[in-house]
Amino acid sequence: MEEVSNKQIILKNYVSGFPKESDMELKINSIKLKVAENSNSVLVKNIYLSCDPYMRPRMTKTEGSYTESFTPGSLIVGLGVAKVVDSAHPNFKKDDLVWGMTGWEEYSIITAPETLFKIHNTDVPLSYYTGILGMPGITAYGGFYELCSPKKGETVYVSAASGAVGQLVGQFAKLCGCYVVGSAGSKEKVELLKNKFGFDDAFNYKEEQDLTAALKRYFPDGIDIYFENVGGKMLDAVLLNMRIHGRIAVCGLISQYNLEQNEGVHNLFCLISKRLRMQGFLAFDYYPLYQKFVDMVTPHIKEGKVKYVEDIAEGIESAPGALVGLFSGRNVGKQLVRVAHE
């Protein structure tokens, strides 16, 4: 039975404030390339690992969240793309390609493989299954189409618009015939929104002294749909600029994840006065619609109507730096790590 070395990324301690690369460490163990018969487990070789903002709260001891905290001294887990090396599960066989939850390591034993999605379409980049055809894609699809019910001609604002989810929401809004503006944190990202993703306009929020006035400038008649990725002061400014019966899909609050004390939101009365609907959601709420989503988006990808930008770090050793970089805006597009070549 072949045994190989297995590089792993371990969380050293719970994190307070902004995460640092030194909060994680590389360890090398060994693993047998065989799963126990009758275990129903699957052994995979990880090809790509996904770096996602939701992982930051898991690095802190939290109660009552939808995901459990990581355990200091233990392996970090996240979404990834992998190839099956050995299987004791009837639905998976050697060389199957899959995406889903896996370990931050070179090889992982998946004890609940029914949570994995099989990859059938390989004429798009495999890395897309960490992004546009993976969790960020179904997040954008569910949150925008299903939750916000967009109509042609409506105005749409997307914060953190160049990220893994935001870049898709903006393009979906254009497919619906909406007017869409996005914000991002650098000149390069603003240009990307306008010139590659087809946003009608975009701005660098770091250059705006008054976010309420900035949004009024871009949406003189108000915002129908806000896709929320940021929270804090941005949400407060948006609430003042929403139109009557507007919809807010709360996908993430990245401005709050590294704060010891979360910021309050002061303009919630707008929910009443403007009759707004503001709703949080999780990607896996929409996993039952995954095939419907793939059938919708794949032709657009192949025709070049929906574009996707990735930021790929090389080697599992680069994973801690890639994850930490999310919170300073270092990445341009979807951040992922290539662990092995396809």
Side-chain angles (χ1 to χ4, degrees):
M1 191 183 297
E2 189 182 356
E3 192 168 299
V4 295
S5 66
N6 190 27
K7 293 177 182 174
Q8 302 178 307
I9 303 297
I10 306 295
L11 179 69
K12 282 160 68 173
N13 297 295
Y14 284 131
V15 174
S16 65
F18 278 82
K20 307 178 293 297
E21 289 184 48
S22 59
D23 292 321
M24 295 162 269
E25 64 180 336
L26 179 74
K27 284 191 172 177
I28 303 178
N29 285 313
S30 61
I31 188 169
K32 289 185 172 69
L33 296 185
K34 192 82 181 152
V35 291
E37 289 182 28
N38 305 320
S39 66
N40 257 3
S41 297
V42 171
L43 173 71
V44 299
K45 180 178 182 176
N46 292 311
I47 301 171
Y48 293 103
L49 298 176
S50 179
C51 298
D52 296 296
Y54 81 87
M55 298 173 76
R56 170 60 187 88
R58 299 192 72 182
M59 301 172 88
T60 305
K61 184 67 175 167
T62 53
E63 301 291 335
S65 178
Y66 67 96
T67 52
E68 292 180 7
S69 297
F70 296 137
T71 304
S74 295
L75 184 70
I76 289 174
V77 296
L79 290 155
V81 172
K83 180 182 271 192
V84 175
V85 175
D86 190 41
S87 172
H89 193 285
N91 293 348
F92 297 91
K93 63 182 187 302
K94 188 176 186 298
D95 294 332
D96 279 351
L97 293 165
V98 296
W99 75 267
M101 293 302 290
T102 188
W104 272 34
E105 55 189 346
E106 292 176 292
Y107 295 89
S108 295
I109 293 175
I110 311 294
T111 55
E114 57 276 6
T115 63
L116 297 173
F117 290 85
K118 265 194 196 179
I119 294 173
H120 300 290
N121 184 2
T122 54
D123 57 356
V124 294
L126 262 189
S127 55
Y128 277 17
Y129 290 91
T130 68
I132 186 170
L133 292 173
M135 181 274 286
I138 193 68
T139 301
Y141 176 82
F144 185 65
Y145 285 105
E146 298 292 324
L147 202 153
C148 292
S149 304
K151 301 178 190 68
K152 186 178 179 180
E154 289 190 314
T155 55
V156 177
Y157 174 50
V158 186
S159 56
S162 68
V165 175
Q167 58 176 291
L168 292 174
V169 174
Q171 292 179 87
F172 292 165
K174 291 308 299 174
L175 289 175
C176 290
C178 298
Y179 177 84
V180 59
V181 176
S183 59
S186 73
K187 183 180 178 184
E188 177 190 9
K189 292 177 181 180
V190 167
E191 290 305 310
L192 198 63
L193 294 176
K194 293 194 286 190
N195 299 330
K196 189 171 184 78
F197 300 136
F199 283 59
D200 292 291
D201 217 332
F203 65 94
N204 183 349
Y205 70 89
K206 293 177 182 174
E207 294 179 350
E208 299 294 342
Q209 299 296 314
D210 183 339
L211 288 171
T212 303
L215 290 170
K216 183 70 176 171
R217 198 164 72 241
Y218 287 99
F219 296 98
D221 298 319
I223 300 164
D224 290 303
I225 294 172
Y226 173 44
F227 200 94
E228 166 68 300
N229 291 310
V230 170
K233 296 180 180 66
M234 182 65 80
L235 176 56
D236 252 339
V238 168
L239 285 166
L240 294 174
N241 280 279
M242 291 296 292
R243 297 183 72 180
I244 288 173
H245 300 302
R247 288 88 74 204
I248 299 173
V250 185
C251 174
L253 302 168
I254 197 169
S255 72
Q256 306 299 297
Y257 295 161
N258 301 303
L259 301 180
E260 293 295 302
Q261 184 67 46
N262 287 348
E263 294 172 329
V265 178
H266 304 281
N267 295 324
L268 288 176
F269 188 76
C270 293
L271 292 173
I272 302 168
S273 61
K274 296 169 185 270
R275 285 84 90 197
L276 304 178
R277 181 161 57 84
M278 181 163 131
Q279 184 175 335
F281 70 101
L282 300 173
F284 50 71
D285 294 339
Y286 299 106
Y287 277 5
L289 301 179
Y290 179 68
Q291 195 54 53
K292 179 184 174 187
F293 158 66
V294 169
D295 293 343
M296 181 279 282
V297 80
T298 302
H300 291 312
I301 296 170
K302 291 179 178 176
E303 293 165 17
K305 289 181 179 174
V306 172
K307 300 176 174 68
Y308 203 62
V309 170
E310 300 173 308
D311 195 326
I312 303 179
E314 293 289 344
I316 195 163
E317 297 85 354
S318 69
L323 179 60
V324 167
L326 284 180
F327 303 100
S328 60
R330 199 163 65 212
N331 59 301
V332 178
K334 166 66 192 164
Q335 182 67 67
L336 60 144
V337 178
R338 184 186 279 117
V339 180
H341 285 271
E342 297 169 21

